[in-house]
Amino acid sequence: MKKLFTILFALCLCMSALAADKVKVTVSNSLSFARGDEYVELDVNALKSKLGTDGSLVVTDADGREVASQLTYDGKLIFQVGVPAKGKSVYYVEAGTPSAYEQKVFGRQFPERVDDIAWENNRVAFRCYGPALQKSGERAWGYDIWNKRTDKLVVEERYAGELDPEIASVCKKLRARGENALADDLYNSVSYHVDHGNGMDCYKVGPTLGAGTTAILENGGKDIRYPRCYTTYEILDKGPLRFTVKLIYGTETIEGQQVVETRVISLDAGSQMNKAVVSYSGLSKAMPIATGIIVHNENPSAYVLNEKAGYMGYEDLGDPNQYKEKYRAKQNKDFGKIYVGAVLAKPNASMEFRAGEGLPGACGHILAISNYQGADYTYYFGTGWSRNPATDFQSMTSWEAYLSRFAEQVQSPLKVKF
């Protein structure tokens, strides 16, 4: 027995010796340009096994400087990397307590604003609409864009101003006295539809696919089946580097099938684009689905469709009828140009402009049409704003260049070895 204990003790020592102090992570880039705005994902269990630990992990670069990281809901350790053109970069992961990192993403449900879910990073912000809005009878189906020109997180602040109960009470009293102009001025002083220095909401959605929503096409691909508002949600990641939300939509009868749509949307710090993973349960046959971007009347031909590269984009000029006539000349000049885009994980879709009726202020959608056969459908949707000084989107040319490069990155992912 004593000999057995001696052998077991020796084995434990050997196993301890085999556990690494650090895990070397090599990231390789096959493309001809440097990549500095992407995140890599490492399996946490595999890392902990190599390190012989069940504790927290710390990431450092080749010079030993700590790199901000995050553990995600699906068991990944993520961190942003910089890799030279056709080159490699080295990072290390070790056991330890990570520093407190700056929060660069945010999102939550806003039941105080008819169940909106709004989310953002240090460059862009978005929202989608929930059950309370649908119950109200208002029709708004697609993703909304909230323009930003700051790296600060502003969604909470914008809702607080827009929904300030004291401001609302004073406005109501002013209108009751017939002082509508003064009430309008007071409301505009806090509204998120006005740029108070950090951006504004001037993008129009309504009963459309908005800024990159996906929908099933019925009747042999002729008709868009709009997905309405989400029914339930779960926030999966809260940052500091990635926000992820899961949205489930109500059961719809589509060509005799009881279909439920699920979306998982994630936004990383520093990116213009969300990742969306869409699935439909209850479909017993393959059906066409389309990712769509609304095309408004003010700029009916300012779009690009690139089937081969797998991206499409549009230059939106904002909603010119958002304000009462008194305010339009002043406010509309602040709209700038809102660039909207979608990139497919696999460039196997047909693309087209499709005219549509019943789309207030709009003439149709640009669509990327794929065939859904039961597997997850993955794509990216996002935006850029000409008034954001942190980016350089001043023309459709610059926006398309961004989409083209982003598509290359998606289709030639960084290779990670550890």
Side-chain angles (χ1 to χ4, degrees), residues 174-245:
L174 289 171
R175 295 191 195 284
R177 297 202 301 260
E179 299 182 71
N180 291 323
L182 190 56
D184 290 340
D185 286 342
L186 179 58
Y187 168 71
N188 285 341
S189 72
V190 297
S191 173
Y192 52 52
H193 295 294
V194 176
D195 187 353
H196 301 295
N198 62 36
M200 66 197 303
D201 171 22
C202 57
Y203 183 76
K204 184 175 179 62
V205 179
T208 78
L209 295 178
T213 308
T214 291
I216 291 174
L217 299 180
E218 296 181 287
N219 302 323
K222 296 179 181 178
D223 300 323
I224 298 172
R225 180 62 177 262
Y226 292 98
R228 313 304 181 191
C229 301
Y230 77 86
T231 302
T232 61
Y233 79 98
E234 181 183 3
I235 293 177
L236 303 175
D237 288 317
K238 296 182 179 181
L241 303 176
R242 174 175 292 173
F243 171 82
T244 305
V245 62

Side-chain angles (χ1 to χ4, degrees), residues 72-132:
T72 63
Y73 80 97
D74 53 351
K76 302 293 192 297
L77 177 70
I78 66 168
F79 56 95
Q80 193 171 17
V81 297
V83 192
K86 292 188 176 296
K88 297 179 180 181
S89 292
V90 172
Y91 296 85
Y92 294 92
V93 180
E94 59 187 283
T97 302
S99 301
Y101 305 126
E102 178 185 1
Q103 190 77 18
K104 293 187 176 181
V105 296
F106 169 78
R108 73 170 176 90
Q109 187 196 51
F110 287 82
E112 63 268 40
R113 223 306 297 194
V114 289
D115 293 340
D116 288 355
I117 288 182
W119 67 98
E120 65 180 317
N121 66 12
N122 50 327
R123 290 193 174 183
V124 290
F126 305 85
R127 71 169 164 179
C128 63
Y129 303 103

Side-chain angles (χ1 to χ4, degrees), residues 258-299:
Q258 300 300 300
V259 180
V260 175
E261 178 185 3
T262 300
R263 306 178 197 171
V264 178
I265 302 167
S266 59
L267 178 65
D268 291 342
S271 180
Q272 308 291 137
M273 308 291 284
N274 298 274
K275 180 180 180 180
V277 181
V278 180
S279 61
Y280 299 93
S281 64
L283 281 180
S284 59
K285 61 181 181 179
M287 292 195 70
I289 60 173
T291 297
I293 295 172
I294 191 63
V295 175
H296 288 113
N297 294 335
E298 293 73 34
N299 224 9

